[in-house]
Amino acid sequence: MSADVAPARAGSLPIADGAIGTVPGTIAQAITLSRYQLRDYLRSRRFVLMIAIVVAVGTILTTLVAYYRPVGLIDNANNLYGSLWGGGAAFLILFAGIIFGGDAIAGEFQNKTGYFLMGLPLRRVTVYAGKYLAVLVASVVSILLFLAIVVGNAVFYLGVGAVGDLGQLFESFALALLYLLALMGFVFLFSSMFKTSLYAVLVVAVLFLFGFSIIQSVVLALTGTEPWFLLSYVNQIIAYPLTGVPEHVARATIGRATITNYAPTYFEGIAVMLGYFFLTTIGGLLLFEREEFT
Amino acid sequence: MTPSLEAVGLTKRFNSFTALDHLNLKVEGSKCVGFLGPNGAGKTTTLKMFTDLIFPSEGESFINGISVQQDRKRALAVCGDLIETPEIYPSLTPREALEMSGALRGMRPEEIRSRSAAVLEEVKMTEWTDQKVGRFSKGMKQRVNIAAALLSDPEVVILDEPSTGLDPRGMAEVRSIVRGLKKGHRLIFMSSHILSEVVDVCDDVALLDRGKLLFADTLANVSQRLGGNTRSVEAEFAAPVEDSVLANEIGSLPEVASWSRADARRVTLQVKGGPAEQARLLRQLASLSMGLISFRESRSALEEVYLREISVGDA
Ligand SMILES: Nc1ncnc2c1ncn2[C@@H]1O[C@H](COP(=O)(O)OP(=O)(O)O)[C@@H](O)[C@H]1O
Ligand SMILES: [Mg+2]
């Protein structure tokens, strides 16, 4: 039996007696797993749903611009990008995170696919990382489609020349990716917390669509402090490379009342997103490591 | 290395309910061990702790001496397993699912191709190789699961009631697959609640009931040890047997320890001694000229024990 064993590979385990093959390292396994997971996503109805949402949002924005032809947008690439991409990206990233990531871990329990994977010689972190990678790639593919629609608009109104100065758009895209990472960490945390996909999806959707904006208003109204700790607040920085950085604290006086408006700084935004990414990703992993396939 | 599975004080509690109670069991060598017990005995619970799907409340499990709890990856590397009825990502085909398993196990692409073809052939799923698993029936999925468990030609195979979900023909096929596995240098640990399945394919048996191991031994030893000095035989006659004949002519034969009536034409006899006595009894029954039409051991010794031991707690 040991005669037909494959030569040991870097990072692999030095055991091969008793089965064909030498088990690859954790990272190599995670990448392999993500490839098949991604294949499943790309063939699934949820991918069609996500693409439909992207196309719908893209079509609505394109139609609005075509109908109103707002001056300042159709003659300035950054303004156009700022409005279309800056407005739509965070929203679509939220959908991608929920649609692809909501059941990433919970679904392994609910659909019993985890029983197939966990019988294999791999660590739990491999499953977690593999699924994370697959969700990331599927989300990025969807977001890139939206970016293409936005750039297509710019090319239509401003000519191919406008595609030349994509530096700021690229910066904005990078910030959007950071937001995606942070959001996915958050989604994976809840996906690991529940064994039913629907709960994970509902909790994240409700928090982002309503919960956070309520918290934000309440915090502002009661304490007047900046809600820097909310992902849905700091994600505003995605548009900054295109629109410029607004004043961190803006006070407006209407009659006798003073209204304070906050906008996150780059530093705040990046730090908070990184913080979310690390804490929620690790928290979700710790939960998954302890969860039993009963 | 001799393939082995070992449980040391393996215990699992669900809240206050003890599903498995300090299991100490070591099985090793190239053979098939039947893990027998009625529904709810704790078989799946045990096998899940051998594959790290759930975590012991106490104790530890080892595959080839490697602790599953401390290093699942290394422990499971030599192991092919099938616990309950896992699902495969529905849009993947059996070919892709096996490709994924093989790649995660570090098999080379050529190995994966040739082994996939071989195991799919073995479970009779060749014609479905490129169809999406999502549309398969439960039985078909289970066949693919069995194929996946055998893909890497593993030295240790853990099967949890592998024939569940299959029709009678499928069950028979699974039994013959498991028998075929015994040809290699391989330890097979298979749970079942069906006694005849264990007798049919296994060499050893471990009997579990209510989370407790009752015994573990070779089938031959179990039959001998538990059969004691009587065995049960059923004789059937062409015509009804009268009570007086049964008591005086059959019951008085020296080999018959006791007798009871199954129905008008069939009687169950407890035979003293071994095969020689049984042969003598058969000759004598035949010479009674009462039209003996069949004579066979009514239950295996293991069956006796299974029913006796398991029913004790039910009372
Ligand atoms: N997650 C769980 N929570 C509570 N009880 C459980 C759980 N899983 C199994 N059990 C109980 O443990 C016992 C053993 O179950 P199991 O190992 O599945 O039995 P078997 O496989 O022998 O039929 C059963 O009484 C079952 O109800
Ligand atoms: Mg079971």
Side-chain angles (χ1 to χ4, degrees):
Chain A
M1 183 139 303
S2 49
D4 51 19
V5 147
R9 289 162 213 174
S12 59
L13 296 167
I15 38 147
D17 287 6
I20 300 173
T22 304
V23 182
T26 298
I27 296 173
Q29 280 183 320
I31 292 171
T32 301
L33 179 59
S34 71
R35 278 191 6 237
Y36 289 91
Q37 177 70 59
L38 186 62
R39 198 179 290 189
D40 187 52
Y41 280 153
L42 297 184
R43 288 175 186 170
S44 68
R45 232 182 283 160
R46 74 183 76 192
F47 187 67
V48 176
L49 172 68
M50 185 62 212
I51 293 301
I53 291 174
V54 170
V55 169
V57 171
T59 307
I60 290 169
L61 293 178
T62 302
T63 312
L64 287 176
V65 173
Y67 188 76
Y68 292 106
R69 296 194 169 246
V71 181
L73 281 195
I74 59 168
D75 50 6
N76 180 312
N78 269 355
N79 285 350
L80 187 64
Y81 293 148
S83 297
L84 300 190
W85 168 256
F91 178 74
L92 289 175
I93 286 170
L94 174 61
F95 270 91
I98 290 174
I99 288 176
F100 296 123
D103 75 339
I105 302 299
E108 293 292 333
F109 292 91
Q110 191 182 335
N111 309 329
K112 297 196 104 187
T113 47
Y115 291 78
F116 186 82
L117 291 179
M118 295 308 294
L120 293 164
L122 38 74
R123 296 182 211 294
R124 282 181 177 231
V125 63
T126 304
V127 173
Y128 197 80
K131 304 219 64 160
Y132 200 97
L133 265 179
V135 174
L136 184 66
V137 174
S139 303
V140 168
V141 167
S142 323
I143 307 302
L144 278 176
L145 174 65
F146 180 62
L147 189 65
I149 295 174
V150 170
V151 173
N153 268 289
V155 171
F156 179 76
Y157 293 109
L158 302 160
V160 185
V163 186
D165 61 334
L166 286 179
Q168 278 123 324
L169 187 57
F170 182 78
E171 273 175 40
S172 175
F173 183 72
L175 289 172
L177 281 187
L178 180 59
Y179 175 58
L180 175 60
L181 288 178
L183 178 83
M184 275 175 48
F186 200 82
V187 172
F188 269 63
L189 176 66
F190 282 98
S191 195
S192 303
M193 207 173 285
F194 301 109
K195 282 183 176 170
T196 310
S197 312
L198 187 63
Y199 295 157
V201 169
L202 277 182
V203 167
V204 175
V206 167
L207 275 181
F208 271 81
L209 296 177
F210 314 108
F212 288 157
S213 50
I214 293 171
I215 293 173
Q216 188 165 340
S217 332
V218 170
V219 165
L220 261 180
L222 291 186
T223 68
T225 51
E226 181 191 11
W228 56 268
F229 46 86
L230 292 179
L231 258 187
S232 54
Y233 166 74
V234 295
N235 71 15
Q236 295 176 60
I237 68 165
I238 294 173
Y240 287 2
L242 303 162
T243 59
V245 183
E247 247 187 299
H248 181 44
V249 185
R251 292 210 163 78
T253 314
I254 301 169
R256 288 214 255 127
T258 308
I259 291 174
T260 313
N261 227 330
Y262 292 99
T265 63
Y266 265 124
F267 173 78
E268 260 180 349
I270 292 173
V272 170
M273 287 195 212
L274 281 176
Y276 265 93
F277 168 62
F278 284 114
L279 292 180
T280 54
T281 304
I282 291 169
L285 177 60
L286 290 179
L287 287 179
F288 179 54
E289 292 272 1
R290 277 164 184 67
E291 237 172 322
E292 297 191 306
F293 287 83
T294 53
Chain B
M1 176 165 193
T2 316
S4 70
L5 286 171
E6 185 174 12
V8 179
L10 203 59
T11 301
K12 183 64 184 180
R13 283 181 283 268
F14 294 106
N15 301 317
S16 62
F17 176 73
T18 305
L20 188 67
D21 193 2
H22 294 92
L23 173 70
N24 288 298
L25 175 67
K26 179 162 190 179
V27 294
E28 62 184 327
S30 296
K31 59 186 170 192
C32 178
V33 181
F35 194 39
L36 181 67
N39 289 324
K43 304 180 295 294
T44 301
T45 301
T46 306
L47 299 189
K48 280 182 175 174
M49 287 191 283
F50 267 111
T51 49
D52 197 44
L53 287 170
I54 62 174
F55 314 124
S57 311
E58 273 176 56
E60 206 167 355
S61 58
F62 301 87
I63 298 176
N64 282 5
I66 301 165
S67 163
V68 173
Q69 282 69 39
Q70 278 167 29
D71 195 347
R72 78 181 317 274
K73 185 173 175 182
R74 233 154 65 83
L76 292 179
V78 294
C79 178
D81 51 70
L82 172 52
I83 312 289
E84 290 192 324
T85 352
E87 292 285 331
I88 295 168
Y89 292 134
S91 79
L92 298 186
T93 66
R95 184 196 302 281
E96 291 169 327
L98 294 177
E99 244 173 50
M100 177 175 80
S101 286
L104 288 169
R105 286 180 173 278
M107 294 166 67
R108 289 188 305 254
E110 334 65 271
E111 289 165 345
I112 296 177
R113 265 195 298 279
S114 62
R115 285 291 301 163
S116 294
V119 290
L120 285 174
E121 169 86 47
E122 178 125 37
V123 298
K124 302 203 160 59
M125 287 294 287
T126 305
E127 62 176 307
W128 302 94
T129 303
D130 293 307
Q131 306 291 315
K132 295 202 172 119
V133 173
R135 297 205 199 99
F136 288 4
S137 71
K138 203 172 166 207
M140 291 161 79
K141 287 179 186 169
Q142 192 69 341
R143 285 166 191 261
V144 180
N145 284 326
I146 293 172
L150 305 181
L151 181 69
S152 67
D153 198 11
E155 194 176 43
V156 175
V157 177
I158 296 177
L159 300 171
D160 183 27
E161 312 225 12
S163 55
T164 35
L166 299 175
D167 53 29
R169 187 205 189 120
M171 291 174 81
E173 283 167 6
V174 167
R175 284 174 203 179
S176 95
I177 290 170
V178 176
R179 271 195 300 268
L181 284 177
K182 294 206 285 186
K183 289 185 198 113
H185 172 67
R186 185 177 287 120
L187 174 64
I188 305 155
F189 194 55
M190 180 182 84
S191 79
S192 176
H193 69 277
I194 304 166
L195 180 82
S196 58
E197 185 168 82
V198 170
V199 173
D200 193 20
V201 302
C202 296
D203 308 297
D204 289 10
V205 60
L207 184 62
L208 189 74
D209 186 38
R210 290 153 193 267
K212 288 207 159 80
L213 184 70
L214 298 182
F215 61 79
D217 208 340
T218 64
L219 273 179
N221 279 349
V222 170
S223 305
Q224 201 176 36
R225 187 156 60 88
L226 301 169
N229 43 19
T230 64
R231 49 185 68 201
S232 166
V233 156
E234 190 182 277
E236 185 178 357
F237 296 90
V241 184
E242 282 168 33
D243 277 343
S244 60
V245 175
L246 181 55
N248 300 330
E249 302 195 26
I250 298 176
S252 65
L253 292 170
E255 292 80 14
V256 176
S258 65
W259 52 269
S260 62
R261 185 187 277 288
D263 63 33
R265 298 190 296 113
R266 288 184 301 143
V267 296
T268 306
L269 308 172
Q270 299 302 322
V271 187
K272 290 181 224 163
E277 285 74 16
Q278 205 172 317
R280 205 159 56 222
L281 176 63
L282 172 59
R283 268 201 313 279
Q284 297 192 357
L285 286 179
S287 67
L288 287 175
S289 306
M290 287 167 46
L292 179 68
I293 55 176
S294 93
F295 179 90
R296 59 187 173 85
E297 237 178 313
S298 62
R299 275 182 197 149
S300 70
L302 182 57
E303 195 171 357
E304 294 275 358
V305 175
Y306 188 47
L307 293 173
R308 189 171 69 224
E309 299 279 351
I310 301 309
S311 61
V312 169
D314 289 341

